[in-house]
Amino acid sequence: MDTLIKNIVQHVRLSPEEIALFKSFWTEKTLEKSEFLLRNGEVCRHDSYIVSGVLKAFCINSENGNEEILFLAIDHWWATDISSFSKQIASIYNIQAVEKTSLLQIGHQSFQKMLHEIPSLERYFRIILESYLGTLEKRIVFNNMYKAEQKYYDFLETYPDIVSRVPQYLIASYLGVSAEFISRIRKKNKSS
């Protein structure tokens, strides 16, 4: 809980009373490796903050049966189907633990009550959503304008912590390239 509060107070002021109230809304959850946080077709009932661990969000390609990675999330990141959570509608993707993962979670109704009772958190969650939207926009631009090799190098530079913790095939899926392609780039870099 301390890491989440530390992150929040970097963006908004909370009184000691508000911090105590904030803590009362959250519960802890642990996922074992390969356990699902959310499955396609379920309603996302909780917003989840990763205390430690790695999650992947993915859809299954109906043509080839492959996982298509939508996002990868590690310690101190959020992992939620925002649309499903905010509208309480069925999710179109899955979220699954890549390794044992500890989470802090808040239910939809509790989230709404928390925002009502601690109005400054509206600003914090707007900042988080703006950051997420910027990441999505960058990904769209890179997917449409850059070659696979450049996308890979940008990923390495932007997310070095993910690279060290996530299997190569998941990074390849996220980038829309084959694992063999990434192997060739790595091999080329080693021989240079």
Side-chain angles (χ1 to χ4, degrees), residues 29-37 55 95-98:
K29 181 179 180 88
T30 300
L31 297 176
E32 297 300 324
K33 182 178 180 178
S34 301
E35 191 175 347
F36 282 85
L37 176 65
L55 297 174
I95 302 177
Q96 186 179 30
V98 175

Side-chain angles (χ1 to χ4, degrees), residues 56-68:
K56 63 179 178 177
F58 65 96
C59 294
I60 301 296
N61 184 317
S62 59
E63 291 180 14
N64 60 23
N66 292 337
E67 288 182 2
E68 302 291 338

Side-chain angles (χ1 to χ4, degrees), residues 159-188:
Y159 305 111
D161 294 336
I162 291 179
V163 173
S164 66
R165 294 177 63 187
V166 173
Q168 183 173 297
Y169 74 92
L170 292 178
I171 295 169
S173 176
Y174 177 82
L175 295 173
V177 299
S178 69
E180 294 78 18
F181 176 80
I182 290 179
S183 290
R184 283 195 304 274
I185 292 175
R186 286 180 170 177
K187 196 174 193 179
K188 183 174 99 175

Side-chain angles (χ1 to χ4, degrees), residues 33-149:
K33 182 178 180 178
S34 301
E35 191 175 347
F36 282 85
L37 176 65
L38 180 68
R39 289 182 186 266
N40 177 354
E42 295 176 347
V43 174
C44 184
R45 304 276 181 212
H46 297 91
D47 196 1
S48 297
Y49 175 82
I50 302 171
V51 176
S52 64
V54 179
L55 297 174
K56 63 179 178 177
F58 65 96
C59 294
I60 301 296
N61 184 317
S62 59
E63 291 180 14
N64 60 23
N66 292 337
E67 288 182 2
E68 302 291 338
I69 301 296
L70 305 171
F71 67 77
L72 299 162
I74 60 172
D75 310 352
H76 315 302
W77 290 18
W78 295 89
T80 305
D81 179 334
I82 295 170
S83 181
S84 177
F85 180 73
S86 65
K87 297 175 186 174
Q88 290 295 277
I89 58 173
S91 177
I92 60 170
Y93 57 85
N94 305 284
I95 302 177
Q96 186 179 30
V98 175
E99 64 183 42
K100 186 174 182 178
T101 301
S102 298
L103 304 166
L104 291 172
Q105 293 190 307
I106 187 167
H108 183 262
Q109 289 181 340
S110 293
F111 184 78
Q112 298 307 318
K113 184 177 180 186
M114 179 187 70
L115 293 180
H116 178 74
E117 293 184 18
I118 311 172
S120 60
L121 289 177
E122 288 271 2
R123 181 173 188 274
Y124 171 75
F125 284 99
R126 178 183 52 81
I127 290 167
I128 296 302
L129 286 173
E130 287 172 350
S131 175
Y132 180 66
L133 181 58
T135 300
L136 288 177
E137 288 174 336
K138 180 181 176 183
R139 184 172 182 199
I140 291 168
V141 168
F142 271 60
N143 280 346
N144 290 331
M145 297 182 64
Y146 293 96
K147 294 182 179 179
E149 196 166 341

